Amino acid sequence: DAGVTQSPTHLIKTRGQQVTLRCSPKSGHDTVSWYQQALGQGPQFIFQYYEEEERQRGNFPDRFSGHQFPNYSSELNVNALLLGDSALYLCASRTRAGANVLTFGAGSRLTVL
Amino acid sequence: SQQGEEDPQALSIQEGENATMNCSYKTSINNLQWYRQNSGRGLVHLILIRSNEREKHSGRLRVTLDTSKKSSSLLITASRAADTASYFCATDPTSGGSNYKLTFGKGTLLTVNP
């Protein structure tokens, strides 16, 4: 039973570029959340998707956008990259029913030069 | 913004010793969870304690929750080198609605020396 898978694992971009990160949730999960984790910090909530709609959003600018597909997989897009966007981006999935426990992927490490 | 604040920020102990980490939070919660992260990898759920529970055990883990003080502690007994990781508390403010946003603290880096 595959857990949460994320791609790519590492990527390097330059300021002003755009990036797309991808996530496939754990089998049976229908809700996907994205978190940004800067070095030495805890994960910061970006947004959550359920039924292909953004349901909740953290304190992130509109440069951060996302999408959820009918198969529950999700993408995170970041436009006009800044140096401060360098971080580990974590995707987490869960089911709407039951306890609110997240299953995380291994993350995508983004470096902006 | 961070909801939980872990204390200490870093903890170094010898194998076999117990490790205690604390978490303080600010708002009312439905439950509090602890997660573990190995060196920049994904987080792994360890244990969940509901707001109406005061203590919970899972293997070598013991979690306490004091809602009057808005604090929790995680105790790892008989630590092993493999327990070396960062530990995060996460608060769930859900009260029966559809808000599933977990808010994480900054974490405690635990180093267990062989």
Side-chain angles (χ1 to χ4, degrees):
Chain A
D1 180 22
V4 177
T5 58
Q6 292 187 243
S7 64
T9 54
H10 295 84
L11 69 167
I12 300 173
K13 294 285 187 179
T14 56
R15 281 178 297 176
Q17 286 190 312
Q18 177 264 347
V19 67
T20 297
L21 308 177
R22 296 177 176 81
C23 171
S24 292
K26 181 179 178 179
S27 177
H29 287 186
D30 55 10
T31 300
V32 173
S33 297
W34 286 92
Y35 286 80
Q36 180 196 66
Q37 186 178 24
L39 200 61
Q41 300 294 313
Q44 294 278 326
F45 176 77
I46 303 175
F47 41 53
Q48 177 195 93
Y49 278 84
Y50 172 60
E51 290 184 340
E52 302 178 48
E53 289 190 17
E54 183 181 298
R55 299 293 177 172
Q56 195 172 10
R57 188 179 183 91
N59 188 26
F60 280 81
D62 292 345
R63 297 186 298 108
F64 290 77
S65 63
H67 190 78
Q68 185 180 35
F69 300 94
N71 66 352
Y72 308 120
S73 66
S74 177
E75 287 182 352
L76 164 65
N77 301 291
V78 186
N79 296 321
L81 285 168
L82 304 174
L83 296 179
D85 295 331
S86 294
L88 181 67
Y89 288 85
L90 295 162
C91 173
S93 71
R94 55 151 296 159
T95 57
R96 293 287 285 180
N100 185 14
V101 172
L102 298 180
T103 300
F104 281 85
S108 294
R109 172 76 62 186
L110 170 65
T111 302
V112 182
L113 301 176
Chain B
S1 62
Q2 310 282 165
Q3 157 75 310
E5 291 288 339
E6 288 89 343
D7 170 58
Q9 290 186 331
L11 178 61
S12 181
I13 60 175
Q14 297 299 122
E15 237 179 355
E17 294 181 338
N18 295 341
T20 299
M21 289 158 269
N22 302 297
C23 169
S24 60
Y25 57 92
K26 299 173 184 175
T27 62
S28 297
I29 60 170
N30 184 47
N31 66 67
L32 184 144
Q33 304 174 34
W34 286 88
Y35 287 77
R36 164 194 167 128
Q37 183 179 37
N38 285 80
S39 190
R41 303 285 292 172
L43 282 74
V44 175
H45 178 260
L46 295 175
I47 194 166
L48 178 154
I49 186 165
R50 302 186 189 283
S51 60
N52 61 354
E53 298 175 312
R54 291 298 168 257
E55 187 171 313
K56 200 163 183 180
H57 296 254
S58 177
R60 294 184 297 113
L61 304 180
R62 174 186 158 226
V63 171
T64 62
L65 179 65
D66 186 336
T67 53
S68 66
K69 295 181 179 178
K70 290 186 169 56
S71 67
S72 173
S73 68
L74 171 68
L75 169 67
I76 304 174
T77 60
S79 63
R80 307 165 182 168
D83 294 329
T84 295
S86 291
Y87 292 82
F88 296 90
C89 66
T91 51
D92 175 7
T94 309
S95 56
S98 60
N99 180 350
Y100 293 105
K101 167 189 169 184
L102 286 186
T103 304
F104 288 82
K106 294 183 179 180
T108 292
L109 176 59
L110 172 65
T111 302
V112 182
N113 302 298

